Amino acid sequence: MIKKTKMLLNIIDRHKLILDKLEQNGFVTVNDLSQEFDVSVVTIRKDLKLLEERKLLFRSHGRAIPSNPYTTEHHVNIKEKINTKEKNRIAIAAGLTLEPFDSIIIASGTSVIEFARHIKPVEGLTVLTASLNTALILAENTTIDVMQLGGMVRSSSSSVIGPIGEKMLAEFTFTKLFLGVDGIDLDFGLSTTNSMEASLNKEMIKAAQKIIVLADSSKFGKKGFGRICGLEDIDQIITDSGIDEITKNKLIEIGIDVTIV
């Protein structure tokens, strides 16, 4: 049973306590706050609306969370400049997973482009990629057999999407898939901002034996428009130390190998 606050709180005190609870728990609910502060649900909703207008939280379905979970599309040139140090460490760790005679898929996104830059010569390595930038980077290494996936070019990510690529994937089998995503949500799973890219990623998952997600910690708690798969479909996530303990532990409980760099 929730213990009610004995003294009547003014709006400033309520807002401070709401933000404190949000930081501690990761979310707050309208009903719980109403009971604890002994005020009406309408009052709490007004409080949350004011805090949202100040961009201190995000309201969603009778609750509030620290930030907007929905991602928006940005050009690859912009995304490459975000969390560069974290992506660099993730890329180095991803490179260590490669083994002789691996046949791998490298999807699209800035994390996997950075991974391509850190791939060292591995005997018999074959790479199929949807990313135009990745293909150009790897083409400079004569020890790697590089295949460019076909399809319609998506200019914002410099990658291909569409049914041509999906049909091409059905003709091969791969040891590993290195997947970049726009969002990782414990309930919604993996997602991206483009539905056609999500569809292509689903076919990549079907074609690969091991699914490795490369994502910096800013991607957790986020959702993109197109759902790729549930968390139960992936084997490993390589991320940075910004991931919170609750999320990390839940991923491990599911059976995912979480590598933190």
Side-chain angles (χ1 to χ4, degrees):
M1 182 177 178
I2 298 175
K3 183 179 179 181
K4 292 184 179 180
T5 306
K6 292 182 179 179
M7 61 179 293
L8 185 62
L9 298 171
N10 61 38
I11 187 171
I12 296 174
D13 290 335
R14 284 201 313 273
H15 287 188
K16 182 179 183 306
L17 285 173
I18 288 170
L19 294 175
D20 287 345
K21 290 178 181 298
L22 193 61
E23 183 178 358
Q24 293 169 8
N25 302 323
F27 71 94
V28 291
T29 69
V30 172
N31 288 336
D32 285 349
L33 293 174
S34 172
Q35 292 180 44
E36 184 167 355
F37 297 159
D38 199 17
V39 295
S40 70
V41 166
V42 173
T43 297
I44 295 298
R45 285 177 177 158
K46 288 180 179 179
D47 287 339
L48 297 182
K49 185 175 185 292
L50 288 171
L51 291 170
E52 184 178 48
E53 289 173 352
R54 293 168 57 194
K55 300 189 183 303
L56 296 174
L57 51 75
F58 180 82
R59 293 182 298 155
S60 175
H61 305 298
R63 60 189 302 190
I65 53 180
S67 60
N68 188 340
Y70 299 101
T71 61
T72 54
E73 185 172 7
H74 298 287
H75 195 277
V76 65
N77 293 342
I78 296 174
K79 292 167 70 174
E80 275 194 309
K81 299 174 184 177
I82 302 172
N83 297 328
T84 55
K85 292 181 180 179
E86 290 82 358
K87 289 174 182 175
N88 181 267
R89 294 197 299 270
I90 290 168
I92 293 172
L96 298 176
T97 68
L98 294 176
E99 300 172 297
F101 302 102
D102 261 343
S103 55
I104 68 173
I105 308 173
I106 298 180
S108 60
T110 54
S111 293
V112 296
I113 291 173
E114 187 66 19
F115 166 52
R117 295 191 179 104
H118 287 81
I119 292 179
K120 296 179 179 180
V122 176
E123 184 181 5
L125 179 63
T126 299
V127 177
L128 174 70
T129 182
S131 167
L132 305 180
N133 293 343
T134 294
L136 290 172
I137 292 167
L138 295 180
E140 297 180 4
N141 190 329
T142 57
T143 66
I144 302 174
D145 292 329
V146 183
M147 301 172 64
Q148 174 66 60
L149 198 64
M152 183 174 66
V153 175
R154 183 184 172 213
S155 59
S156 62
S157 61
S158 294
S159 63
V160 298
I161 53 176
I164 294 174
E166 293 177 17
K167 289 179 181 178
M168 189 174 172
L169 283 164
E171 301 299 319
F172 302 97
T173 183
F174 300 87
T175 55
K176 298 179 178 78
L177 162 63
F178 293 88
L179 182 64
V181 298
D182 291 317
I184 304 175
D185 182 84
L186 292 175
D187 297 317
F188 192 62
L190 306 184
S191 58
T192 180
T193 55
N194 184 277
S195 61
M196 290 183 70
E197 184 177 70
S199 180
L200 184 64
N201 289 159
K202 289 176 182 177
E203 296 305 314
M204 290 178 176
I205 290 172
K206 291 178 184 178
Q209 297 173 25
K210 184 174 184 179
I211 315 304
I212 302 174
V213 177
L214 310 184
D216 66 79
S217 57
S218 69
K219 304 294 177 65
F220 291 98
K222 299 291 185 179
K223 297 178 184 178
F225 175 70
R227 184 176 186 268
I228 300 170
C229 68
L231 295 177
E232 67 277 1
D233 292 326
I234 65 176
D235 301 291
Q236 183 178 3
I237 294 178
I238 303 178
T239 189
D240 61 82
S241 57
I243 183 175
D244 65 86
E245 285 294 313
I246 294 175
T247 300
K248 183 188 75 172
N249 291 335
K250 287 186 177 180
L251 292 172
I252 293 172
E253 287 177 11
I254 295 170
I256 298 171
D257 178 9
V258 180
T259 302
I260 299 177
V261 297

